[in-house]
Amino acid sequence: GDAMVDHHRSLRQGFPEVVFGAGKSAGQIERIMASLAARGNNILVTRLDEAKALAVKEAFPVAVWHAAARCLTLEQKPAERRGRGTVLVVSAGTSDLPVAAEALVTLRMMGNDAEHLYDVGVAGIHRLLARREALAAASVLIVVAGMEGALPSVVGGLVDRPVIAVPTSVGYGASFGGIAALLGMLNSCAAGVTVVNIDNGFGAAVAASKINRD
Amino acid sequence: GDAMVDHHRSLRQGFPEVVFGAGKSAGQIERIMASLAARGNNILVTRLDEAKALAVKEAFPVAVWHAAARCLTLEQKPAERRGRGTVLVVSAGTSDLPVAAEALVTLRMMGNDAEHLYDVGVAGIHRLLARREALAAASVLIVVAGMEGALPSVVGGLVDRPVIAVPTSVGYGASFGGIAALLGMLNSCAAGVTVVNIDNGFGAAVAASKINRD
Amino acid sequence: GDAMVDHHRSLRQGFPEVVFGAGKSAGQIERIMASLAARGNNILVTRLDEAKALAVKEAFPVAVWHAAARCLTLEQKPAERRGRGTVLVVSAGTSDLPVAAEALVTLRMMGNDAEHLYDVGVAGIHRLLARREALAAASVLIVVAGMEGALPSVVGGLVDRPVIAVPTSVGYGASFGGIAALLGMLNSCAAGVTVVNIDNGFGAAVAASKINRD
Amino acid sequence: GDAMVDHHRSLRQGFPEVVFGAGKSAGQIERIMASLAARGNNILVTRLDEAKALAVKEAFPVAVWHAAARCLTLEQKPAERRGRGTVLVVSAGTSDLPVAAEALVTLRMMGNDAEHLYDVGVAGIHRLLARREALAAASVLIVVAGMEGALPSVVGGLVDRPVIAVPTSVGYGASFGGIAALLGMLNSCAAGVTVVNIDNGFGAAVAASKINRD
Amino acid sequence: GDAMVDHHRSLRQGFPEVVFGAGKSAGQIERIMASLAARGNNILVTRLDEAKALAVKEAFPVAVWHAAARCLTLEQKPAERRGRGTVLVVSAGTSDLPVAAEALVTLRMMGNDAEHLYDVGVAGIHRLLARREALAAASVLIVVAGMEGALPSVVGGLVDRPVIAVPTSVGYGASFGGIAALLGMLNSCAAGVTVVNIDNGFGAAVAASKINRD
Amino acid sequence: GDAMVDHHRSLRQGFPEVVFGAGKSAGQIERIMASLAARGNNILVTRLDEAKALAVKEAFPVAVWHAAARCLTLEQKPAERRGRGTVLVVSAGTSDLPVAAEALVTLRMMGNDAEHLYDVGVAGIHRLLARREALAAASVLIVVAGMEGALPSVVGGLVDRPVIAVPTSVGYGASFGGIAALLGMLNSCAAGVTVVNIDNGFGAAVAASKINRD
Amino acid sequence: GDAMVDHHRSLRQGFPEVVFGAGKSAGQIERIMASLAARGNNILVTRLDEAKALAVKEAFPVAVWHAAARCLTLEQKPAERRGRGTVLVVSAGTSDLPVAAEALVTLRMMGNDAEHLYDVGVAGIHRLLARREALAAASVLIVVAGMEGALPSVVGGLVDRPVIAVPTSVGYGASFGGIAALLGMLNSCAAGVTVVNIDNGFGAAVAASKINRD
Amino acid sequence: GDAMVDHHRSLRQGFPEVVFGAGKSAGQIERIMASLAARGNNILVTRLDEAKALAVKEAFPVAVWHAAARCLTLEQKPAERRGRGTVLVVSAGTSDLPVAAEALVTLRMMGNDAEHLYDVGVAGIHRLLARREALAAASVLIVVAGMEGALPSVVGGLVDRPVIAVPTSVGYGASFGGIAALLGMLNSCAAGVTVVNIDNGFGAAVAASKINRD
Ligand SMILES: Nc1ncnc2c1ncn2[C@@H]1O[C@H](COP(=O)(O)O)[C@@H](O)[C@H]1O
Ligand SMILES: Nc1ncnc2c1ncn2[C@@H]1O[C@H](COP(=O)(O)O)[C@@H](O)[C@H]1O
Ligand SMILES: Nc1ncnc2c1ncn2[C@@H]1O[C@H](COP(=O)(O)O)[C@@H](O)[C@H]1O
Ligand SMILES: Nc1ncnc2c1ncn2[C@@H]1O[C@H](COP(=O)(O)O)[C@@H](O)[C@H]1O
Ligand SMILES: [Mg+2]
Ligand SMILES: [Mg+2]
Ligand SMILES: [Mg+2]
Ligand SMILES: [Mg+2]
Ligand SMILES: [Mg+2]
Ligand SMILES: [Mg+2]
Ligand SMILES: [Mg+2]
Ligand SMILES: [Mg+2]
């Protein structure tokens, strides 16, 4: 019934409807998507594993499965391009890629131009510095990093535009599932960095999208 | 010597130089301000108590002491107005006022139009709802709250613009010096809320200022 | 033997006997239920998964399986209606439903009239405000919320009756399995909100039931 | 100005206005009291030290200073008696007395009959058991305890009425300023115990008062 | 090879050799037991699951599997009785039984008379008080409790003999895997209670055994 | 009144009455002591600073002030010698001395022979090994250590008698006021070590005294 | 593509390339190894389980699987011997062996002479003291320990050479997955002990290798 | 007496004797210094405030007070120069200076050539990069940083020599007195960085000194 459709985090007009896939069965996701699709909306499902995604795709063959991002999208009409510039997602290690990818899919579903700069960790600072032009060209930056979470401080020192930091749960031992990175980012010595929840690539993209809107 | 000048919160051109006053003596602050003032900069000193501020003001009579914000400002030339709209600072309790005030002083020193909506806590939701027009008119919102830190979620659900949440250390017992509010904000069910460190009104204002710039 | 009967959650006369199903095998639950049923009691088994429940139901075909609540009930005589009014369970997200359902089943087994108001999170405050009459009509309110746990503060500001807050383990990253919601509720700025353990829909219902008794 | 009067936790009609004294100067408290008194309200100021209280009393000679409770009260009209029964405050050690006293003053200002049972810790269980009749006679119980916070579990096993547990910050080392007691109470094996923030005698009294109302 | 036999926690003469079974394969346990048995020792293997235990029993058919305690024992010569009195293990809930059973098996393997008093939680205090004679007759008491961990305080107030408290990981939510019980016990208001690690029935038994020795 | 007498640390017959001095004024301590002394008891006051102690001594000139232990004792009749052997208090650094001294004063007031072995930290293991005979001669050992809290493990490996570990709040940074030492002791690889609260020299002495009794 | 090659743990010339195996599929590891091997590098893959290792070995039959260390190595040219002396890895319990083994494999891949001293826990101090000559002969020491993490303090007191401490996640209950050991090591009373992340045998070996280089 | 001299952390021959000044009175420090000076040793007293230092200097006029480092040194014979190269101390903010200075004084008292590179935080990375030659010339590096503690990762990526990271308690809010910096350093993505306790400039210098010795 209606109780299955949880509207409490729905976004505003012009944006897709978003379904948080974690903890929902393929059947539940299908029913929610059907009800949303009937209203003509574009749909973004996040936090999906491959098995569930393939099951859902049988009901919605047009839907696209983004494996790295663990997201499924259904575009019934093209997302309206409204951003003032490019949102740049910056990430360091291989293991941060899924969170970066979730941000990228979300950004594009919300009508932004989005690019990805990866493999630029702080322990090999020259790789980051070699890309200063890309950094300077962005209108908003999302910086994804696990372990010590230092990348947003360095990036924040190189650019003048808003930086949104996303800690990831990548690491072991005293990384405490992302707490070390989260604390590092909250204490960033680069003024003006803001932070979202651990692994919340989606939330960072929504914030960046609001900033990027004219 | 030069080592006394702490650049770690210095911003970019067109912005004031910033001195973090906590843990510095009046004498140290004076020497740093003298060196910065000589270059013609505007200066913002944060985290100052009244005694130190008055001592410093003897050397810089033109400086202005913002008691509620615990900030001292020295404007040698008027801050260039560059913002696209008004930054709205929203706060709940009496005790959140100093953090809100730090944000307001910083915003104005950085050339933004800034307003303050106060006394609008979540336990008396009608007072907040009565101000929906003010909320809707803002280009960026800074929401300051202690205790359970719920205000940014409610505000985030009412507006489409970027919301920056500032947890405060107000509270006792299980508020753990602002941790409860910080966690509440990081877990906000209003997508797109970003968060800064506990009591960091300054950092929120810098982030908002970058967003508000054209 | 007798050691298998875990009395530690047993209630007073007129109430059902309660079995905490987590960590007990279907066989153990059956033996405990048999011993309790022999004394003519009504029985409530909480924290059961479907497989165990179906196994137990083979021995007690009359027992009812409440899938959403993960509870099994055996009513040998109808629960005596003793409440002064209606207990209202309020919840926000899809994922809080099991905890809310556990509270509802418990309330009814203890002889209360109980209703459920769902899908009313703080980030879409109008949905909650649209139900102010239902809120005002309740004699006791149980408010179930995960993530930032803000809902009890808002509800507590709208009603004069006792509010019991139940944090849920819903969320990820810095929700820390319900700690963020728990701290939010303990620090509620709505005076008079009391709190139970994370996911403890059962305990909230017992407390509400004692309040609701004449 | 008006900003000084923080209404965000004000209670409903028939109740006193409440001022949270911590972090406010005597002058600020005086100004807030003057504005509230002018509307004819009864006033309760909590979390006050003796020096501030005496300063405020010079402006309001009729106000009463409750030293043990660290509260100041101003009664312009007698509190309307509305409770269904007696609220019993139970406490263990000498050091829990201020929190218990804060609860008692609040209960009486809110129109309840309230009694105090003290010096009944769990390590001398006979003293508690000797008072079973007093326990059984109460309509609501507030149980205040520090250190291991075990008292509410024992009391909750002895009575059928609602029990509100208040952890106190009494203790040292691994009591962590009340966390040990708080966790003990949240995990109480006596079903139906609810909990408030550490040292929050005021909040427990407001909750008890709502329960005790007819 | 020799590296497989980890002597670092071996006990003194007259005691059994002890093997910590967690994280060791059946094959590894067999090899260690063979090497120890060859020297004529009695052997106690703790933290074993049933599958491993049955596999090991094929090599040592004389060994005894204690299912509740998850221990395997091999007695080549009867344990020398050396205790001054009876060690009493006291526990509350069903779920604390495995830890209590581990203590009992260890106590007996170390030559102590040991008894078990169970189903005596603090929320039904009369059941405990009904057994005061058993409590008073013990020479040492081991008190096993999860959730709020209050039982050792009450027992410690009823007896004059040494009390060793064992927190268990039983519980959910804010029990944090035994932390709530551990903190409760460390803060016991009954002077002279000492504490061991969460779920460490074995360690409590070794300590009690040393106390019980003449 | 009677409420001023805090019984929560009172012991059994033959033992002194104990007053926990922290948070009590000199006047309060005097009144409690007068009431206890009138019944002929010996009295031990712990956690006292020098100023309070000297004030109290004016009323009880016979009382003895133990500066290192921060304890005041009043012996009206000599403590009955009842121990089976010597209790040995072992400590490492200069800063652990106050906690060790509190244990020693308590042990002697409770009728035990007690000795002190100090300056034997684990980083200079030869000093400890040079005292193996003293260690072996004790009937019970109390081991006091801050920082990493490793001393009880080493001592526990050298003796067969019961070892009670007392973590101290000595240290800085990641010692977290004694948590590092507490955790070290709870995880001791020497089986049979039991632990008391941080800085609780008194509690360790009460436990040792019960063990040492015949 | 290139994004698959995770450089973030790559070392300098003369050292092997390192692949962090956790969270990567056998296929991903194979592709990374192929790209690195093509440049003639030696390769060390850490944090691998046996199944993945065997799959990878099919593509690189020359690679060696170190089961205890959970590492796979591919040596295309012998590691250049450059160390000034022997690096000694010291460990205590059976369960610390994998971390010690990871350090040993890494040390040898980086051109160091490395030895292992095991089964020398602090609760049986004589076994450690019996090996003082081996300790004194080392140029750098890596000390691996779980539970209370005391071994580095004792070793640090016996030698003059640099000591690197590695906490392990071995333990249960209040060991908190290695936090107890980590804190113990950070608070070591043996001056000059430095610490790496929990279970980070690899990182300790890299640090030791840099120290051991001439 | 002798008990006042705490040898448990004394260093080896050729090194100074070290006194930990925190928590010791000027009188105690004087007595310890007198006893050590009588044996001809050089002495380093750490963690001293100015008042105590000046009091002690009256007894030892030759002693030198290092205000920034809060250390007092007494050199009776020049420290033997034994290092292989220069130890470089790198620090970021003004507030990290005392910890860096403690390291520098310790390094020099232990016979090392030591230099200081300051004002090189990660948010202004060009200042650090401008000093790459100084970094490359060091034989060991001590990197001192508070807030997010990111500096050691960047430095560790620029040099091949051993890097010892010192977190400082500088910061506020979610820096938690240095925990954020500590966790950041333990999770450094630059392999081979080792870490000491928060604010432990002394310990880092002792470790660096052992590494620097030939
Ligand atoms: N990956 C994600 N992380 C955090 N929040 C999300 C994520 N994906 C979706 N959401 C939020 O979850 C809401 C949908 O939740 P639900 O109704 O449970 O599917 C959306 O409106 C989003 O605000
Ligand atoms: N001791 C107390 N503990 C918790 N909350 C309190 C306490 N005293 C007053 N309050 C709340 O604080 C509100 C007043 O806060 P303020 O406006 O800052 O004085 C009241 O309405 C109460 O809800
Ligand atoms: N259940 C247990 N809990 C804690 N420690 C144990 C337990 N069982 C055995 N031990 C200790 O582990 C040692 C054996 O460990 P291992 O050599 O790994 O088998 C024994 O000597 C005991 O001190
Ligand atoms: N600032 C410091 N931080 C950590 N440990 C120190 C410090 N200063 C001295 N120590 C250690 O403390 C020992 C002396 O302690 P004490 O005998 O109490 O003065 C020395 O041998 C050092 O190992
Ligand atoms: Mg990173
Ligand atoms: Mg708030
Ligand atoms: Mg919620
Ligand atoms: Mg208590
Ligand atoms: Mg229990
Ligand atoms: Mg120690
Ligand atoms: Mg160990
Ligand atoms: Mg820094």
Side-chain angles (χ1 to χ4, degrees), chain F residues 153-168:
Chain F
S153 290
V154 178
V155 171
L158 295 173
V159 302
D160 275 339
R161 299 298 311 151
V163 171
I164 299 169
V166 191
T168 70

Side-chain angles (χ1 to χ4, degrees), chain E residues 5-190:
Chain E
V5 181
D6 182 350
H7 299 286
H8 83 285
R9 295 173 104 193
S10 68
L11 307 170
R12 296 304 158 102
Q13 73 260 30
F15 281 165
E17 293 292 323
V18 187
V19 179
F20 185 59
K24 300 204 175 82
S25 68
Q28 287 177 309
I29 293 170
E30 251 177 71
R31 277 192 300 281
I32 298 174
M33 285 182 70
S35 123
L36 296 170
R39 297 180 220 151
N41 292 120
N42 288 343
I43 303 175
L44 165 63
V45 190
T46 66
R47 303 286 166 104
L48 217 59
D49 61 40
E50 185 148 33
K52 268 198 237 170
L54 297 186
V56 174
K57 256 185 77 76
E58 287 188 19
F60 299 89
V62 185
V64 179
W65 168 235
H66 307 258
R70 296 161 306 168
C71 291
L72 189 83
T73 54
L74 182 71
E75 288 202 71
Q76 308 204 69
K77 54 189 181 238
E80 186 192 352
R81 295 281 125 191
R82 292 187 51 191
R84 289 186 292 168
T86 297
V87 180
L88 186 67
V89 178
V90 183
S91 68
T94 303
S95 342
D96 301 322
L97 290 178
V99 177
E102 185 186 84
L104 283 160
V105 169
T106 304
L107 284 167
R108 286 170 188 149
M109 285 295 283
M110 294 182 77
N112 301 279
D113 290 322
E115 299 296 335
H116 190 192
L117 192 58
Y118 51 82
D119 203 12
V120 289
V122 295
I125 201 77
H126 56 282
R127 284 200 303 273
L128 182 67
L129 296 174
R131 308 301 298 274
R132 291 190 67 155
E133 266 149 69
L135 294 171
S139 70
V140 190
L141 298 99
I142 292 173
V143 185
V144 180
M147 304 182 77
E148 79 271 65
L151 198 52
S153 290
V154 178
V155 171
L158 295 173
V159 302
D160 275 340
R161 298 300 310 154
V163 171
I164 299 168
V166 191
T168 70
S169 55
V170 167
Y172 62 86
S175 89
F176 299 131
I179 297 182
L182 171 63
L183 295 184
M185 291 168 178
L186 286 168
N187 286 286
S188 176
C189 51

Side-chain angles (χ1 to χ4, degrees), chain H residues 28-154:
Chain H
Q28 288 177 309
I29 292 170
E30 252 178 71
R31 277 193 299 282
I32 298 175
M33 285 181 70
S35 125
L36 296 171
R39 296 182 220 152
N41 292 120
N42 288 343
I43 303 176
L44 165 63
V45 191
T46 66
R47 304 287 165 105
L48 218 58
D49 61 40
E50 184 147 34
K52 269 199 236 171
L54 298 185
V56 173
K57 258 187 75 77
E58 287 189 19
F60 299 90
V62 184
V64 178
W65 168 234
H66 308 258
R70 295 161 307 167
C71 291
L72 190 82
T73 54
L74 183 71
E75 288 202 70
Q76 308 203 67
K77 51 186 185 242
E80 185 192 354
R81 294 283 125 193
R82 293 187 53 191
R84 289 185 293 166
T86 297
V87 181
L88 185 67
V89 178
V90 182
S91 68
T94 304
S95 341
D96 301 322
L97 291 178
V99 177
E102 185 185 86
L104 284 161
V105 169
T106 305
L107 284 167
R108 287 171 186 147
M109 285 294 283
M110 293 182 79
N112 302 281
D113 291 322
E115 299 297 334
H116 189 190
L117 192 57
Y118 50 83
D119 202 12
V120 288
V122 294
I125 202 76
H126 56 281
R127 284 202 302 273
L128 182 68
L129 295 174
R131 307 301 300 274
R132 289 189 68 156
E133 266 149 67
L135 294 171
S139 70
V140 190
L141 298 100
I142 292 174
V143 185
V144 180
M147 306 183 75
E148 80 272 66
L151 197 51
S153 290
V154 178

Side-chain angles (χ1 to χ4, degrees), chain G residues 159-181:
Chain G
V159 302
D160 274 341
R161 298 300 309 154
V163 171
I164 299 168
V166 191
T168 70
S169 55
V170 167
Y172 63 86
S175 89
F176 299 132
I179 297 182

Side-chain angles (χ1 to χ4, degrees), chain B residues 121-126 129 132 147-150 153-158 171-176 179-180 183-191, chain C residues 121-126 129 132 147-150 153-154 156-158 171-176 179-180 183-191:
Chain B
V122 294
I125 201 76
H126 56 281
L129 296 174
R132 290 189 66 155
M147 307 184 76
E148 79 271 64
S153 290
V154 178
V155 171
L158 295 173
Y172 62 86
S175 91
F176 299 132
I179 296 181
L183 294 183
M185 290 166 178
L186 286 169
N187 287 285
S188 176
C189 51
Chain C
V122 295
I125 201 75
H126 56 281
L129 296 174
R132 290 189 68 155
M147 306 184 76
E148 79 271 66
S153 290
V154 177
L158 295 174
Y172 62 85
S175 89
F176 299 131
I179 296 182
L183 295 183
M185 291 168 178
L186 286 169
N187 286 287
S188 176
C189 53

Side-chain angles (χ1 to χ4, degrees), chain H residues 131-205:
Chain H
R131 307 301 300 274
R132 289 189 68 156
E133 266 149 67
L135 294 171
S139 70
V140 190
L141 298 100
I142 292 174
V143 185
V144 180
M147 306 183 75
E148 80 272 66
L151 197 51
S153 290
V154 178
V155 172
L158 295 173
V159 301
D160 274 340
R161 298 300 310 154
V163 171
I164 299 168
V166 191
T168 70
S169 56
V170 166
Y172 62 86
S175 90
F176 299 131
I179 296 181
L182 171 63
L183 294 184
M185 290 168 177
L186 286 168
N187 287 286
S188 176
C189 52
V193 170
T194 62
V195 186
V196 297
N197 196 3
I198 298 164
D199 289 337
N200 194 1
F202 166 78

Side-chain angles (χ1 to χ4, degrees), chain F:
Chain F
D2 206 46
M4 283 289 81
V5 181
D6 182 348
H7 298 285
H8 84 283
R9 285 181 123 189
S10 71
L11 309 168
R12 294 305 158 101
Q13 73 261 28
F15 281 165
E17 293 292 322
V18 186
V19 180
F20 184 62
K24 301 207 174 79
S25 69
Q28 287 177 309
I29 293 169
E30 254 177 70
R31 277 193 298 281
I32 298 175
M33 285 181 71
S35 124
L36 296 171
R39 298 181 216 152
N41 293 120
N42 287 342
I43 303 175
L44 164 64
V45 191
T46 64
R47 303 287 166 106
L48 217 59
D49 62 39
E50 186 147 33
K52 269 199 236 169
L54 298 185
V56 174
K57 257 185 76 76
E58 288 189 18
F60 300 89
V62 184
V64 178
W65 168 233
H66 307 259
R70 296 161 308 169
C71 290
L72 190 83
T73 55
L74 183 71
E75 288 202 71
Q76 308 204 67
K77 51 187 184 239
E80 185 192 354
R81 294 282 124 191
R82 292 187 52 192
R84 290 186 292 167
T86 298
V87 180
L88 185 68
V89 178
V90 183
S91 68
T94 304
S95 342
D96 301 322
L97 290 178
V99 177
E102 184 185 85
L104 284 161
V105 169
T106 304
L107 285 168
R108 287 172 187 146
M109 284 295 282
M110 294 183 77
N112 301 281
D113 291 321
E115 299 296 335
H116 190 191
L117 191 59
Y118 51 83
D119 201 13
V120 289
V122 295
I125 202 75
H126 57 281
R127 284 201 304 275
L128 182 68
L129 297 174
R131 308 301 299 274
R132 291 189 66 154
E133 266 149 68
L135 294 172
S139 71
V140 190
L141 298 100
I142 291 174
V143 185
V144 180
M147 307 183 75
E148 80 271 64
L151 198 51
S153 290
V154 178
V155 171
L158 295 173
V159 302
D160 275 339
R161 299 298 311 151
V163 171
I164 299 169
V166 191
T168 70
S169 56
V170 166
Y172 63 85
S175 90
F176 299 131
I179 296 181
L182 171 63
L183 294 184
M185 291 167 177
L186 286 169
N187 286 286
S188 175
C189 52
V193 170
T194 61
V195 186
V196 296
N197 196 3
I198 297 165
D199 289 337
N200 193 1
F202 165 78
V206 174
S209 197
K210 290 183 176 180
I211 296 172
N212 196 39
R213 287 237 148 172
D214 48 25

Side-chain angles (χ1 to χ4, degrees), chain A residues 8-9 11-13 84 156-162 164 182 186-187 189 191-197 202-203 206-207 210-211 213-214, chain B residues 8-9 11-12 84 156-162 164 182 186-189 191-197 202-203 206-207 210-211 213-214:
Chain A
H8 82 287
R9 295 173 103 193
L11 307 170
R12 295 303 159 103
Q13 72 261 27
R84 290 186 291 167
L158 295 173
V159 302
D160 275 340
R161 297 301 309 152
I164 300 169
L182 171 63
L186 287 168
N187 286 286
C189 51
V193 170
T194 62
V195 186
V196 297
N197 196 2
F202 165 78
V206 174
K210 291 183 176 179
I211 295 171
R213 288 236 149 173
D214 48 27
Chain B
H8 84 286
R9 286 181 122 189
L11 309 169
R12 295 304 160 101
R84 290 186 290 167
L158 295 173
V159 303
D160 275 339
R161 297 300 310 153
I164 299 169
L182 171 63
L186 286 169
N187 287 285
S188 176
C189 51
V193 170
T194 62
V195 186
V196 296
N197 196 3
F202 165 77
V206 174
K210 291 183 176 180
I211 296 171
R213 287 238 150 171
D214 47 26

